């Protein structure tokens, strides 16, 4: 009997919500209190230093290192007043998390004591060991030097007793070893390209911002049950487990009442998030049992990305306070919804105009259509690269299953916008269609006001959907760094807008009137990008065949998806836009292939270990009990009654033998396949081998384990089951 399993289940069901002390202030009064934001800079920095620093932040200029000491002194005074004792450069290496090394604010005073000190040199750059982070071959293990450099556009903040300073991370030879450096370059590229195009419509525009609003989905499981599932503990997902009789089929969890324990966790998380300036606004139950979501207000893309990395770390820490573990794996449970991180993306100007919002004049609507069409064109030409940006060993389990978008990039834009683009494609230059923002829908129900209906419906199967004033990239994985997708998207749009402006300027130079020139180029782009438009069911087999006919990337192997990064047009785009070099792209792909291999390798080892050390012995133990029961029946009963009574047990014994034999054989085959793959030279070839020969055995082995779960006595089964993992209240 598995006493551990029953004990942790009992403890989980008996847990009461942890009461969270509520702040005496309103959120608006303590929002950002742990952030060195504009208000703190104004208070702690000399006036001239404040002006120079804010000019650097707002206009993207080069940081004046002469002010670094004054900024560091002001930042240190504020941090010490907030009880901070350490500081760290906080960056995002080419892993799924962040990195930090804490140093104290102390220096020897020469008299046997110490003084609190923090200089501009320490603020601006540090020297972490670059050899110990993934570099894809850019750095040898004996070449350790790398630099982290302060990003002033993302404010410093305090967590516990440490001042966190957001930074980029680069090699001694200058190549980016992180996500932030190329993201900042991509944002610079789209700013320049979009600003140039905006001047066709409004010469006053000086800057274009890229905005991001992420929606973070996640699961919560009881900490005791989590600890009793080695597969969850080591891989983030359940490698075995039969689905519960009740899961999400009644759709009763979605937007349902939030369980009290979860509500307390959410309150605690929101309080900490508000202190750190993260504007989390929405919380709710998601579709699957024990699945939830939080979402913030839109922010500038770089800051939003930092906030998402920070919120994931906060979630993990605060969940443990409440006896939970957060699961950010894209598919922790088979047969129910996985978790994504929808990236709502848009562009806006310093004049307050959203570039994906229609206006009241023909000029406004032409600007709106211009940015819509160029975005669609960018997504069309780099659809394979966009898919590669969200591809991973874990996200592969989610895409195309249980409401997640399929692994083919297409764009839903809605009936109204489709009509507008069709109209422009087939119209004269002087005939520009209008585009209404919203229209009314009267409800014939007493006391119910008129509803304002958005200009597009939603298509839940579309990976890249236009949703009114923004695009929603729904294929991003729950545990992913948003920067991976945002680097590709912003760079691709920057490249396309640059091409668009060049084409329009050439027509104007040849004597075509500006509006006519814009419409002529748009007309060609509308025709060219038509293959990316898809309004139907992305899950259908017909769509896969249609997507292939349209020339869209339909690759389903994650290691092969990464090849898109090294296609000539991808390399040219990144280099032309000044975002990454060919060498950096090659290095990142090496990291991606190696990471994929290691993840599948770990899952294979865990699955083999659990199969042979827990599942098979438990099944054999139960089988022995059945054999013993049959033997005793034979001693006690006459032959005719024995045959009748023992028939069912004999059938179960035979079935258990079949499942055990298959598991043992396939685990052996999986181990041998792993040995062969491990000897293959080259990260790409090794990753492909793991994808083709090792990973396919997981579901085959799991099928037989899950069958045994239904047959073996519940008292003997050692692993917590789905019905226990997914319904903790």
């Amino acid at each position: 009997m598995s006493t551990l399993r029953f004990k942790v289940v009992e403890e989980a069901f008996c847990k009461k919500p942890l009461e969270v002390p509520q702040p005496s202030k309103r959120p608006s009064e303590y929002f950002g209190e742990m952030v060195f934001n504009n208000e703190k800079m104004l208070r702690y920095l000399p006036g001239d230093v404040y002006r120079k620093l804010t000019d650097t932040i707002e206009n993207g200029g080069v940081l004046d290192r002469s002010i670094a000491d004054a900024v560091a002194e002001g930042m240190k005074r504020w941090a010490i007043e907030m009880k901070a004792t350490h500081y760290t450069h906080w960056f995002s290496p080419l892993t799924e998390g962040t990195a930090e090394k804490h140093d104290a604010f102390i220096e020897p005073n020469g008299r046997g004591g110490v003084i609190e000190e923090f200089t501009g040199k320490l603020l601006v750059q540090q020297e972490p060991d670059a050899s110990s982070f993934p570099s894809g071959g850019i750095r040898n293990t004996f070449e350790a030097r790398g630099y982290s450099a302060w990003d002033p556009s993302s404010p410093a903040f305090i967590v516990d007793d440490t001042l966190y300073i957001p930074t980029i991370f680069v090699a001694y030879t200058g190549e980016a070893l992180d996500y932030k450096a190329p993201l900042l370059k991509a944002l610079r590229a789209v700013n320049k390209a979009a600003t140039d195009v905006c001047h066709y419509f409004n010469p006053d525009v000086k800057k274009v911002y890229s905005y991001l609003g992420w929606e973070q989905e996640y699961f919560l499981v009881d900490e005791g049950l989590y600890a009793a599932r080695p597969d969850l503990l080591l891989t983030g997902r359940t490698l075995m487990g039969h689905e519960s009789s009740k899961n999400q089929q009644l759709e009763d969890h979605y937007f349902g009442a939030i369980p009290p324990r979860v509500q307390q966790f959410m309150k605690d998380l929101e309080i900490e998030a508000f202190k750190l300036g993260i504007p989390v606004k929405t919380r709710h139950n998601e579709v699957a049992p024990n699945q939830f979501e939080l979402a913030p207000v839109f922010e500038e893309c770089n800051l939003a990305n930092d906030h998402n990395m920070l919120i994931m770390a906060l979630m993990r820490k605060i969940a443990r306070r409440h006896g939970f573990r957060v699961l950010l794996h894209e598919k922790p449970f088979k047969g129910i919804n996985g978790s994504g991180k929808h990236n709502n993306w848009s562009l806006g100007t310093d004049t307050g105009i959203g570039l994906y919002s229609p206006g009241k004049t023909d000029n406004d609507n032409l600007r709106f259509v211009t940015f819509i069409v160029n975005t669609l064109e960018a997504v069309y030409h780099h659809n394979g690269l966009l898919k590669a940006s969200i591809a991973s060993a874990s996200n592969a389990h989610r895409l195309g299953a249980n409401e997640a978008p399929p692994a083919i990039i297409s764009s839903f834009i809605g009936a109204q916008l489709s009509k507008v683009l069709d109209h422009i494609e087939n119209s004269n230059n002087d005939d520009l269609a209008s585009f209404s923002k919203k229209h009314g829908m009267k409800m014939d129900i007493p006391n119910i006001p008129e509803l304002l209906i958005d200009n597009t419906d939603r298509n839940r199967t579309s990976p890249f959907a236009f949703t009114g004033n923004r695009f929603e990239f729904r294929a991003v994985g729950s545990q992913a760094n948003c920067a991976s997708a945002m680097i590709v998207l912003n760079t691709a749009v920057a490249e396309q807008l640059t091409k668009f402006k060049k084409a329009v300027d050439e027509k104007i130079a040849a004597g075509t009137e500006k509006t006519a020139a814009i419409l002529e180029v748009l007309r060609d782009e509308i025709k060219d990008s038509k293959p990316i438009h898809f309004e139907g069911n992305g899950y259908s087999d017909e769509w896969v065949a249609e997507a292939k006919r349209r020339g869209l990337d339909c690759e389903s192997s994650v290691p092969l998806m990464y090849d898109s990064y090294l296609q000539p047009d991808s390399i040219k785009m990144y280099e032309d836009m000044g975002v990454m070099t060919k060498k950096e792209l090659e290095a990142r792909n090496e990291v991606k292939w190696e990471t994929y291999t290691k993840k599948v390798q770990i899952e294979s080892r865990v699955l083999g270990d659990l199969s042979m050390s827990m599942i098979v012995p438990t099944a054999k133990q139960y089988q022995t009990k059945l054999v013993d029961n049959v033997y005793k029946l034979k001693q006690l009963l006459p032959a005719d009654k024995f045959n009748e009574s023992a028939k069912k047990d004999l059938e179960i014994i035979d079935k258990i033998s079949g499942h055990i034999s298959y598991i043992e054989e396939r685990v052996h085959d999986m181990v041998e396949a792993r040995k062969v793959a491990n000897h293959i030279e080259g990260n790409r070839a090794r990753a492909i081998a793991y994808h083709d020969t090792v990973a396919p055995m997981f579901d085959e082995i799991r099928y037989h384990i899950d069958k045994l779960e239904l047959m073996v006595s519940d008292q003997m089964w050692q692993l917590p089951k789905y019905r226990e993992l997914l319904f903790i209240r």
Side-chain angles (χ1 to χ4, degrees), residues 34 75-88 101-107 114-118 157-164:
M34 307 304 287
M75 199 179 284
K76 181 199 74 176
R77 282 197 298 116
W78 168 73
I80 290 175
E81 286 179 18
M82 299 299 291
K83 311 300 183 186
T85 58
H86 290 69
Y87 65 91
T88 182
K101 174 176 70 74
H102 298 200
D103 289 300
F105 286 119
I106 59 167
E107 291 293 335
V114 295
I115 57 173
E116 282 85 9
E117 186 171 283
F118 184 53
F157 55 90
I158 294 173
V159 175
D160 296 327
D161 64 351
T162 303
L163 173 68
Y164 283 69

Side-chain angles (χ1 to χ4, degrees), residues 42 111 144 197 220 241 276 367 382 426 466 480 488 577 589 591 603 612 683:
L42 190 59
R111 297 186 297 276
V197 172
L220 289 174
L276 289 165
R367 178 263 306 155
H382 293 290
N426 300 302
F466 180 66
V488 174
M577 295 298 103
N589 261 25
V591 173
E603 289 190 350
M612 302 311 295
N683 287 324

Side-chain angles (χ1 to χ4, degrees), residues 511-527:
T512 306
E513 186 270 332
K514 182 181 74 173
T515 299
I518 291 172
L519 285 168
E520 285 181 16
V521 177
L522 286 178
R523 190 170 293 114
D524 291 339
E525 291 182 353
I526 291 170
K527 293 176 182 177

Side-chain angles (χ1 to χ4, degrees), residues 284-466:
H284 64 83
N285 289 2
E286 254 300 334
V287 176
N290 274 15
Q291 187 187 34
F292 308 94
E293 180 180 298
L294 81 157
V297 178
F298 274 61
E299 297 181 285
E300 186 275 323
C301 190
N302 177 46
L303 180 60
N305 191 66
D306 281 354
H307 279 168
N308 183 249
M309 298 304 292
L310 180 55
I311 202 79
M312 288 193 289
L314 277 177
M315 289 166 70
R316 293 184 179 102
K317 181 174 76 172
I318 293 172
R320 299 195 69 174
R321 237 184 249 173
H322 294 262
F324 287 122
R325 285 296 187 115
V326 167
L327 303 182
L328 292 174
H329 192 287
E330 285 78 8
K331 196 73 170 177
F333 302 103
K334 186 178 181 181
I336 60 175
N337 275 28
S339 295
K341 181 149 49 194
H342 302 175
N343 279 205
N344 295 277
W345 173 84
S346 64
L347 297 173
T349 70
D350 60 337
T351 60
I353 300 298
L355 296 179
Y356 296 111
S357 297
K360 296 180 179 179
T361 67
D362 280 353
N363 186 63
D364 288 341
N365 284 332
L366 182 57
R367 178 263 306 155
F368 164 72
V369 171
T370 294
F371 279 90
I372 289 285
V373 172
N374 277 282
T375 300
L376 294 173
E377 182 81 331
V379 172
Y380 169 54
H381 283 290
H382 293 290
N383 69 93
L385 185 58
L386 270 174
K387 184 167 70 174
S389 74
I390 54 90
S392 67
S394 53
N395 204 21
H397 296 289
R398 164 181 168 260
L399 294 179
N402 298 92
E403 289 196 4
I408 300 172
I409 301 298
S410 64
S411 186
F412 170 86
I413 59 175
Q416 188 180 2
L417 184 51
S418 294
K419 288 179 182 177
V420 171
L421 298 189
D422 289 342
H423 182 80
I424 293 173
E425 180 184 351
N426 300 302
S427 69
N428 297 321
N429 286 344
D430 58 354
D431 183 16
L432 182 63
S434 63
F435 190 86
S436 61
K437 290 185 178 179
K438 294 189 178 184
H439 62 278
M441 176 189 288
K442 291 185 178 179
M443 306 291 290
D444 190 19
I445 305 173
N447 304 322
I448 300 298
E450 180 182 64
L451 300 180
L452 291 178
I453 307 303
D454 287 289
N455 51 39
T456 68
D457 197 352
R458 287 177 180 258
N459 186 323
R460 305 300 293 175
T461 69
S462 177
F464 194 82
F466 180 66

Side-chain angles (χ1 to χ4, degrees), residues 41 48 106 177 190 204 207 235 245 398 425 489 503 508 513 522 526 580:
M41 290 191 292
D48 60 327
I106 59 167
L177 296 176
V190 80
D204 295 332
K207 187 172 183 179
T235 73
S245 301
R398 164 181 168 260
E425 180 184 351
L489 183 56
I508 293 173
E513 186 270 332
L522 286 178
I526 291 170
M580 282 189 280

